[in-house]
């Protein structure tokens, strides 16, 4: 999985590179299989396709909850810059570790 995630660095847009089979979206802490439809769609996955390790829970719902608490409509308003990346949930901020471990545990992109 790490090799595939490192493969994302081969191109500016991993959704255009047929060699990239798994993508990572830091903002939501999600892994997925890219949909080659000209956009940035992906099918979110919960387990590593190679070893079966559980992947981290998506932070998508927490992101939208944070937008609601801030009174920001992400479809209409400007989203604060720190919410455009993983800066809003960084592991260093909450003290958790995102290490690659055995199946039944969490796989991390770092």
């Amino acid at each position: 999985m790490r090799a595939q995630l490192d493969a994302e660095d081969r191109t500016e847009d991993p959704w255009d590179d047929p060699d990239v089979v798994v993508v990572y979206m830091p903002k939501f802490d999600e892994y997925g299989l890219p949909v080659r439809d000209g956009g940035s769609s992906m099918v979110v996955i919960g387990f590593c396709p190679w070893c079966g390790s559980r992947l981290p829970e998506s932070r998508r719902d927490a992101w939208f909850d944070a937008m609601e608490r801030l009174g920001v409509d992400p479809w209409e308003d400007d989203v604060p810059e720190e919410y455009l990346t993983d800066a809003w949930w960084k592991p260093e901020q909450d003290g958790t570790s995102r290490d690659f471990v055995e199946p039944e545990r969490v796989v991390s992109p770092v």
Side-chain angles (χ1 to χ4, degrees):
M1 180 96 156
R2 279 191 201 271
Q4 284 299 313
L5 292 171
D6 290 341
E8 283 187 61
D9 296 335
R10 288 191 292 213
T11 181
E12 287 184 26
D13 187 359
W15 279 265
D16 287 339
D17 186 343
D19 293 331
V20 176
V21 296
V22 175
V23 293
Y24 175 70
M25 184 172 288
K27 176 172 78 173
F28 296 135
D29 197 19
E30 289 179 338
Y31 297 83
L33 308 175
V35 175
R36 311 279 186 219
D37 64 356
S40 60
S41 300
M42 68 179 184
V43 176
V44 176
I45 57 175
F47 295 88
C48 172
W50 290 272
C51 72
S53 293
R54 179 176 299 281
L55 299 172
E57 289 292 320
S58 169
R59 295 178 190 258
R60 183 179 296 266
D61 289 341
W63 187 88
F64 281 100
D65 290 345
M67 293 296 100
E68 187 173 335
R69 280 192 304 277
L70 293 171
V72 173
D73 179 348
W75 311 114
E76 300 289 329
D77 304 329
D78 290 333
V79 174
E81 193 165 325
E82 67 269 16
Y83 286 90
L84 299 176
T85 68
D86 58 0
W88 70 276
W89 67 263
K90 276 269 199 216
E92 294 81 15
Q93 293 173 353
D94 64 15
T96 61
S97 172
R98 308 292 287 184
D99 296 330
F100 178 83
V101 293
E102 295 300 316
E104 308 276 328
R105 306 265 175 121
V106 176
V107 174
S108 172
V110 288

